[in-house]
């Protein structure tokens, strides 16, 4: 299918009053900007403002160590700048050899930890400016890249990773990769700048004008980030409704029929801006497998053409849909596609949780889902998880898949090799099935926040484990230790840990203080609602102690904590159900 190039008459396309980022893109020569010069400048650990925006399209963010900010300021030193790189790895898949390379990069250039993100990607933190190119080249040696890891483009495509959970898992999984490839920017800037490809020659030889070079995106790319996720019911472990496009695999008699298409999800909001809000994607129809690439591309290009480029707080696709209306959107999509989506099929989700432990697939291979606390892989005195994963990778007995709950799936293990894997894990303190953990810990997500995220207002990843340790005796007291209560924490309202989908969501307001949200469901189909504002740890513990007591004494059969919060009118159910 040939897609329409950006039409300058359409309102969203860059116009007077556009944001700085739009202007940076416009003047960047397809994402090149002055990155080469910035990275060669020996006088500072930072890069120019325009380049800090452009480098995102190459998968990296400039950050500084927030723990050191004040001290360095007092000493009149520039902030301790470093870079975070986020890889593009649809469905979170890596071979054992690639995992070894990732381990090596983190030790050689990063802060010796490996971060598994809430979108099934690996992040390296703490890479100094002068090592960024070497890190990218090392990734490339293992056939890995970070193109479109961030930036105003389609991001890492998520997909339910565990082949034992559905007969069509691998077929669906392949679509995550196909969609990711299909929607990749085509600028060669990444290859030229980081991999020294062509050194710029040849680029000018591209014929046919600017959009030949970037046929899907044009030179202004999208107004904002764009996300696609796929889930296979009944498992919603990729939180499909939080995506700009959510694809729900429809399976009959173990055969993939196609996908229900949901549009307009997104979780970010800004305190004090009432016009920003989280929104769950709305199911608009069904497409066959061979239509899904075009559907994703055309939906994305409607956002390219109509998305808000004047205010980045309002530029996500969810606002475009709400501004123009769902009916308008469906009509526009039909016109662009040249066919109408079918009627959405029935799809029932039961959980967003990862299924820990060993599972066997239809081909007799085993898959082991392991808990990683908030996705941070490192060695601690009690748990040498980083070494364990490296040793397992060195055996070459399995591949690796990351989950959207920030966990790890070791996959494709032969029956005879299970015991070898278990032995390595046990030697390094890792339990295989996560049963030693409370249900709440197994179901927790925290975003990075301190010390690298510039937007964090409170701790998240570094604090939630401690908070859960303090909650565990309370859960025990109420007989709730095993109950899978979904708790999520983010250091700000951007929603990176999807806290607004949790049964208990904690969103940072300032250091040590959080807003508490209640009423999310277990299956990822309901946003939660603000319950208490700006509370500290003592208040969180006391409130939850009382609520757990009431929950246990009044709950109905199989009633989840989130459903209880709504039934007992602690919070109103959100309107935004799918
Ligand atoms: Fe996120 C920005 C980390 C998933 C919504 N996110 C950031 C930045 C890059 C901060 C920044 O802009 O400088 C954070 C870097 C922290 C660091 O030091 O690593 C950051 N986001 C993360 C990760 C690593 C959280 C984690 O602990 O796992 C996740 C990386 C995913 C990936 O591999 O691509 C991550 N971010 C999410 C999600 C969840 C999801 O997509 O499933 C969301 C909510 C869904 C959504 O997009 O609406 C999310 N991140 C945001 C936003 C709010 C966007 C908005 O619509 O307003 C920002 C801020 C922004 O874009 O301006 C943001
Ligand atoms: Fe940073 Fe906020 Fe995202 Fe947490 S939710 S990683 S604090 S932007």
């Amino acid at each position: 299918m040939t897609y329409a190039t950006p039409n300058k008459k359409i309102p969203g396309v860059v116009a007077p009053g556009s944001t700085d980022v739009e202007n940076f893109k416009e003047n960047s020569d397809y994402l090149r900007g002055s990155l080469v010069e910035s990275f060669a400048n020996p006088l500072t650990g930072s890069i120019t403002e325009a380049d800090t925006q452009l480098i995102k399209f190459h998968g990296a963010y400039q950050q500084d160590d927030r723990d050191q900010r004040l001290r360095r300021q007092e000493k009149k030193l520039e902030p301790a700048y470093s870079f975070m790189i986020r890889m593009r790895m649809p469905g979170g898949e890596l071979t054992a050899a690639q995992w070894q390379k990732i381990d090596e990069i983190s030790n050689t250039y990063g802060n010796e930890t490996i971060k598994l993100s809430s979108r099934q990607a690996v992040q390296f933190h703490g890479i100094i400016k002068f090592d960024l190119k070497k890190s990218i080249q090392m990734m490339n040696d293992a056939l890995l890249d970070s193109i479109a890891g961030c930036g105003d483009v389609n991001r890492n495509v998520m997909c339910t990773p565990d082949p034992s959970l559905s007969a069509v898992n691998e077929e669906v999984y392949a679509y995550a990769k196909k969609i990711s490839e299909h929607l990749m920017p085509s600028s060669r800037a990444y290859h030229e700048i980081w991999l020294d490809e062509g050194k710029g020659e040849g680029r000018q030889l591209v014929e046919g004008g600017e959009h030949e070079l970037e046929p899907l995106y044009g030179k202004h790319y999208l107004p904002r980030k764009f996300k696609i996720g796929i889930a296979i019911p009944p498992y919603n472990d990729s939180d499909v409704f939080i995506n700009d496009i959510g694809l729900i695999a429809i399976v009959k008699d173990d055969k993939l029929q196609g996908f229900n298409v949901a549009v307009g999800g997104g979780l970010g909001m800004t305190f004090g801006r009432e016009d920003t809000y989280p929104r769950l994607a709305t199911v608009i129809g069904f497409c066959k497998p061979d239509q899904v690439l075009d559907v994703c591309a055309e939906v994305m290009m409607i956002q390219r053409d109509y998305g808000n480029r004047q205010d980045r707080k309002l530029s996500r696709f969810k606002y475009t849909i709400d501004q123009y209306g769902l009916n308008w959107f469906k009509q526009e999509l039909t016109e662009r596609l040249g066919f109408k989506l079918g009627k959405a099929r029935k799809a029932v989700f039961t959980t967003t949780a990862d299924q820990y432990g060993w599972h066997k697939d239809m081909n007799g291979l085993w898959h082991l889902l392991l808990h990683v606390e908030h996705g941070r892989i490192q060695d601690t005195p009690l748990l040498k998880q980083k070494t364990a994963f490296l040793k397992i990778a060195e055996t070459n007995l399995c591949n690796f898949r990351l989950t959207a709950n920030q966990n790890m799936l070791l996959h494709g293990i032969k029956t005879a090799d299970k015991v070898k894997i278990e032995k390595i894990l046990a030697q390094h303190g890792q339990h295989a099935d996560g049963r030693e953990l409370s249900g709440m810990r197994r179901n927790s997500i925290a975003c990075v926040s301190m010390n690298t995220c510039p937007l964090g207002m409170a701790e998240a990843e570094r604090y939630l484990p401690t908070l859960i340790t303090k909650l565990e005796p309370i859960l025990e007291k109420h007989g709730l230790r095993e109950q899978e209560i979904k708790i999520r924490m983010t250091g700000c309202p951007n929603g990176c840990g999807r806290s607004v989908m949790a049964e208990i969501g904690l969103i940072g307001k300032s250091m040590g203080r959080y807003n508490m949200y209640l009423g999310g469901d277990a299956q990822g189909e309901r946003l939660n609602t603000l319950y208490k504002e700006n509370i500290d740890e003592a208040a969180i513990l006391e409130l939850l102690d009382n609520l757990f007591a009431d929950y246990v004494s009044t709950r109905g059969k199989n009633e989840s904590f989130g459903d209880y919060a709504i039934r007992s009118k602690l919070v109103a159910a959100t309107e935004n159900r799918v």
Side-chain angles (χ1 to χ4, degrees), residues 211-232:
H211 299 306
E212 290 286 335
L213 193 58
E214 205 54 283
L216 283 182
Y217 291 100
K219 82 198 256 199
H220 299 104
Y221 295 83
L222 300 179
R224 205 64 159 85
K225 59 176 73 167
F226 196 83
K227 298 182 173 178
I228 301 178
I230 313 179
I232 311 176

Side-chain angles (χ1 to χ4, degrees), residues 38-77:
S38 269
F39 276 85
N41 179 356
L43 300 177
T44 167
S46 69
I47 58 177
T48 67
E49 194 195 338
D51 289 338
T52 61
Q53 294 302 328
L54 297 175
I55 191 132
K56 295 182 188 175
F57 292 79
H58 300 245
Y61 285 81
Q62 177 177 297
Q63 304 184 319
D64 74 283
D65 183 342
R66 295 188 58 183
D67 292 342
Q68 294 194 49
R69 251 189 213 174
L70 215 59
R71 205 156 26 94
R72 291 184 70 91
Q73 229 170 21
E74 281 163 9
K75 290 189 177 165
K76 307 222 173 342
L77 293 169

Side-chain angles (χ1 to χ4, degrees), residues 61 63 84 86 115-119 121 123 125 158 224-225 227 242 266-268 316 406 446-448 452-455 494-496 498:
Y61 285 81
Q63 304 184 319
M84 175 268 273
R86 182 185 293 157
K115 162 77 189 172
L116 313 186
S117 83
S118 56
R119 293 192 68 80
Q123 285 190 181
H125 288 99
M158 289 209 275
R224 205 64 159 85
K225 59 176 73 167
K227 298 182 173 178
I242 67 91
L267 302 184
R316 289 294 295 273
Q406 304 173 316
C447 75
V448 178
T452 51
C453 179
L455 308 176
N494 279 323
C496 302
R498 299 192 288 273

Side-chain angles (χ1 to χ4, degrees), residues 373 436-442 464-482 541 548:
E373 191 127 71
E436 78 289 1
L437 307 171
S438 62
M440 177 178 272
R441 199 178 293 272
R442 284 199 299 272
L464 187 56
T466 313
L467 181 69
I468 294 177
T469 302
K470 292 182 182 176
L471 280 166
E472 277 166 348
I474 299 175
L475 289 162
E476 191 108 39
K477 182 173 85 182
H478 297 295
L480 293 171
R481 194 185 153 82
E482 289 308 311
L541 295 175
F548 290 156

